[in-house]
DNA sequence: GCCAACGTTGGC
DNA sequence: GCCAACGTTGGC
């Protein structure tokens, strides 16, 4: 089981949109090789944080990978693929970017160090720390 | 709204 | 294959 972080501009695709979709939706529109390569590594059941970028800069919820890598239906360009994700839980206390930056245990997080990467890996220890900060129940 | 950082494109 | 120019992202 691996952990990830998905960034989205809430104006374009918000956590509320994701929740409203229910059973799963393509994480499409990714046009960056590093982000796509990360999605290629995802397995069914992997979990990811849902992060609101731009004005909010907050981790607001948790999603689960419910379909592995497949062509992105929003383009005919075969280079671009995506996974499907579904909302599985909301952060009781959403965790801000500022919190992550100020926590020395999270100083190596990709989110803290590479603001441009929109789909990124999260280490298990980082996952647990953020779940604690957010008051999100984490089994294990 | 500004601008730094990064990725991509295309001329050579 | 290098690198300058350009476009985009996203923090501030």
């Amino acid at each position: 089981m691996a952990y990830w972080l998905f960034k989205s501009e809430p104006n374009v695709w918000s956590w509320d949109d994701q929740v409203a979709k229910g059973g799963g939706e393509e994480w499409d529109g990714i046009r960056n090789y590093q982000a796509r390569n990360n999605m290629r590594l995802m397995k069914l059941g992997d979990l990811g944080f849902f992060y609101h970028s731009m004005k909010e800069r907050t981790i607001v919820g948790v999603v689960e990978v419910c379909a592995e890598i497949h062509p992105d239906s929003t383009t005919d360009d075969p280079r671009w693929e995506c996974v499907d994700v579904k909302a599985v839980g909301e952060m009781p206390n959403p965790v801000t970017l500022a919190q992550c930056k100020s926590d020395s245990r999270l100083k190596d997080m990709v989110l803290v160090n590479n603001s441009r990467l929109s789909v990124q890996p999260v280490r298990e220890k980082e996952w647990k720390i953020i779940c604690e900060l957010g008051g999100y129940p984490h089994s294990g």
Side-chain angles (χ1 to χ4, degrees):
Chain A
M1 151 89 76
Y3 300 99
W4 309 94
L5 183 144
F6 297 86
K7 261 187 213 179
S8 186
E9 283 186 54
N11 297 341
V12 179
W13 182 253
S14 71
W15 172 250
D16 287 342
D17 294 330
Q18 185 74 54
V19 170
K21 266 291 171 187
E25 179 73 1
E26 279 190 351
W27 197 263
D28 55 30
I30 299 298
R31 302 291 182 265
N32 170 284
Y33 291 105
Q34 238 186 309
R36 186 213 56 194
N37 290 344
N38 285 332
M39 290 197 290
R40 284 183 170 175
L41 298 172
M42 294 180 186
K43 300 292 183 194
L44 275 180
D46 278 0
L47 296 176
F49 289 128
F50 192 109
Y51 174 81
H52 278 167
S53 66
M54 305 301 283
K55 292 205 103 171
E56 290 192 40
R57 302 189 296 280
T58 306
I59 294 169
V60 290
V62 173
V63 294
E64 177 183 334
V65 175
C66 59
E68 294 182 7
I69 197 78
H70 60 79
D72 182 333
S73 70
T74 64
T75 177
D76 291 329
D77 190 329
R79 292 178 299 171
W80 305 124
E81 303 166 304
C82 64
V83 297
D84 289 10
V85 298
K86 65 177 180 186
V88 294
E90 196 161 315
M91 284 283 158
N93 309 304
V95 178
T96 65
L97 177 64
Q99 274 179 277
C100 294
K101 288 197 165 188
S102 65
D103 191 317
S104 63
R105 297 173 298 170
L106 298 174
K107 67 175 167 42
D108 293 325
M109 254 195 107
V110 180
L111 184 69
V112 170
N113 294 295
N114 182 359
S115 61
R116 298 286 304 270
L117 185 58
S118 59
V119 178
Q120 50 182 258
V122 174
R123 297 172 185 86
E124 187 175 6
K125 66 170 190 173
E126 294 163 349
W127 182 269
K128 287 181 177 174
I129 291 165
I130 289 168
C131 285
E132 279 170 26
L133 293 173
Y136 188 83
H138 177 258
S139 53

